[in-house]
Amino acid sequence: MKMPTLVIYDITDDDLRLKVAKFLRSKGLKRIQKSAFIGPLTSSERVNLVAGLRRLVKGHDKVNIQIYPLTEASYSRRVMIGVQMDYDEEEEVIT
Amino acid sequence: MKMPTLVIYDITDDDLRLKVAKFLRSKGLKRIQKSAFIGPLTSSERVNLVAGLRRLVKGHDKVNIQIYPLTEASYSRRVMIGVQMDYDEEEEVIT
């Protein structure tokens, strides 16, 4: 059963931050903020995601990534204030 | 009943971002990343929080704030990679 999985991160290194963003996108997650992605994952997909992220950031300091598996109820009760910005374009430019 | 409430934000304006961080801290939330706070809130405290945030950012563009009420299960199943950085000090310096 897929659960919405929220990933938020604080990564000082620009290259690493871009790599993490690309990795999350490659796993089917969608960017919802500059440092936040979300997407539906099964529990084994989530385990793989965490393992992949650990590999990516290995040896780097000043990294903090948090992964929250949400219930559908939590997800549907989220509140958004302001505008949904478009980050895909921004990343393409940085790449 | 209090539920862990996660608030993540993307705010371009430096002053406004600092105001939002101070507001979230004044409501008892704890900074867990540069742009993420969490804390236990009742449903009416959450309604007040959202109203206060809407007031704060009124008239500003390039603002995106998302509020997620989490279950205790979701919260306890979160995974953290890397180190928990200390943001309190950083904010004091900026102030």
Side-chain angles (χ1 to χ4, degrees):
Chain A
M1 197 191 64
K2 293 197 184 249
M3 286 169 82
T5 300
L6 179 68
V7 180
I8 59 176
Y9 55 85
D10 243 7
I11 298 174
T12 307
D13 184 272
D14 291 343
D15 286 345
L16 183 63
R17 200 171 55 243
L18 187 58
K19 273 185 200 159
V20 165
K22 283 188 172 179
F23 176 75
L24 293 172
R25 185 164 297 144
S26 78
K27 296 297 179 187
L29 277 73
K30 204 187 136 218
R31 190 167 226 156
I32 51 164
Q33 285 187 352
K34 206 155 39 169
S35 302
F37 279 76
I38 203 164
L41 296 180
T42 63
S43 114
S44 71
E45 286 170 338
R46 202 158 47 245
V47 168
N48 285 336
L49 183 90
V50 169
L53 286 170
R54 284 196 202 280
R55 269 195 302 273
L56 262 180
V57 307
K58 202 173 177 179
H60 292 266
D61 54 1
K62 297 195 181 165
V63 168
N64 183 272
I65 306 177
Q66 300 188 27
I67 298 102
Y68 292 83
L70 307 180
T71 62
E72 286 294 341
S74 282
Y75 183 60
S76 66
R77 288 170 63 200
R78 77 192 182 286
V79 173
M80 193 181 301
I81 299 173
V83 291
Q84 180 63 75
M85 301 186 234
D86 183 12
Y87 300 96
D88 295 13
E89 212 180 313
E90 183 192 359
E91 203 195 15
E92 232 105 59
V93 174
I94 298 170
T95 317
Chain B
M1 197 193 62
K2 293 196 184 251
M3 287 168 80
T5 301
L6 179 66
V7 180
I8 59 177
Y9 55 84
D10 243 7
I11 298 175
T12 306
D13 184 275
D14 291 343
D15 286 345
L16 182 61
R17 200 172 52 244
L18 187 58
K19 274 185 199 159
V20 165
K22 283 188 171 177
F23 176 76
L24 293 172
R25 184 162 298 145
S26 78
K27 295 298 179 185
L29 278 72
K30 202 187 138 220
R31 190 167 227 156
I32 51 164
Q33 284 188 352
K34 204 152 47 165
S35 302
F37 280 76
I38 203 164
L41 296 180
T42 64
S43 117
S44 72
E45 285 169 340
R46 203 158 46 245
V47 168
N48 286 335
L49 183 90
V50 169
L53 286 170
R54 284 195 203 281
R55 269 194 303 273
L56 262 181
V57 306
K58 203 173 177 178
H60 291 267
D61 54 3
K62 297 192 181 168
V63 169
N64 183 271
I65 305 177
Q66 299 186 28
I67 298 100
Y68 292 83
L70 306 180
T71 61
E72 286 293 343
S74 281
Y75 183 60
S76 66
R77 288 170 63 199
R78 78 193 181 285
V79 173
M80 193 181 302
I81 298 172
V83 291
Q84 180 63 76
M85 301 188 234
D86 183 12
Y87 299 97
D88 295 11
E89 212 181 311
E90 182 193 1
E91 203 194 18
E92 233 105 59
V93 174
I94 296 169
T95 314

